[in-house]
Amino acid sequence: FEMANQFEYVDLYAVSENVAKQLEAAAKKKNITVSLSGSHLKIKGIEQILYEMIYNLCDNAVKYNHDNGSVSVKIMQCVDGIELTVADTGIGIPKDEIDRVCERFYRVNKSHSKEIGGTGLGLSIVKHAVACHDASLSIDSELGKGTTVRILF
């Protein structure tokens, strides 16, 4: 199975717009504003995988947010390439667990699992997508204040 022939130029901004539309209802329930900024920048990639990656990041940002919180998605050109940032005002991730959140089925707080739902696969899908696009991933988080995930293509 050759993945290379599925690569095409994908507009990250357009994909993010679709994701934001998909998550509108879930965000509304918690009065969370989802905003998108930046430019229509294209990277060579697989649209379906990029969609799942952005969807999982935004879905987490909504799920683990406070009521009346916000999620902002930004696509911008920087010195090293094209950066996609998803920032939220949510519950945050403890420093010592940031490295583990990308593992399959890993959950920071097991007690949230039932109320929030999900499979614990979200960030492992993101990690796979990042690897498949030769991108890099960094997560900054502060407990109670929110999380920012940066992906550099």
Side-chain angles (χ1 to χ4, degrees):
F1 179 68
E2 188 50 60
M3 270 173 49
N5 40 7
Q6 290 185 15
F7 275 75
E8 56 188 0
Y9 283 98
V10 181
D11 180 338
L12 286 176
Y13 192 94
V15 173
S16 301
E17 272 180 323
N18 290 340
V19 167
K21 282 192 193 104
Q22 285 295 308
L23 289 167
E24 222 169 89
K28 260 201 191 105
K29 274 188 199 135
K30 295 174 76 175
N31 286 316
I32 292 169
T33 35
V34 178
S35 62
L36 180 58
S37 63
S39 352
H40 283 271
L41 296 169
K42 292 183 175 177
I43 64 152
K44 219 168 155 48
I46 299 172
E47 187 163 359
Q48 182 59 40
I49 293 177
L50 291 166
Y51 176 87
E52 283 173 23
M53 178 188 85
I54 297 168
Y55 182 88
N56 277 294
L57 288 174
C58 294
D59 186 42
N60 278 352
V62 169
K63 265 193 219 158
Y64 298 101
N65 216 318
H66 301 290
D67 288 353
N68 305 312
S70 67
V71 175
S72 70
V73 183
K74 192 191 284 172
I75 288 106
M76 52 188 254
Q77 182 76 53
C78 58
V79 183
D80 310 325
I82 292 174
E83 187 177 78
L84 165 82
T85 310
V86 177
D88 66 58
T89 55
I91 59 177
I93 305 165
K95 290 264 175 278
D96 56 342
E97 306 211 29
I98 287 180
D99 293 340
R100 297 200 57 203
V101 291
C102 291
E103 291 171 17
R104 292 175 64 136
F105 307 118
Y106 184 75
R107 284 246 169 84
V108 170
N109 183 340
K110 311 289 185 278
S111 68
H112 280 296
S113 302
K114 284 205 175 59
E115 51 180 277
I116 291 176
T119 55
L121 281 172
L123 284 171
S124 74
I125 291 170
V126 169
K127 198 175 164 190
H128 169 76
V130 166
C132 139
H133 288 88
D134 279 332
S136 64
L137 166 75
S138 67
I139 301 175
D140 281 317
S141 190
E142 215 175 318
L143 268 182
K145 294 206 174 137
T147 302
T148 301
V149 179
R150 285 187 184 80
I151 295 170
L152 184 64
F153 294 97

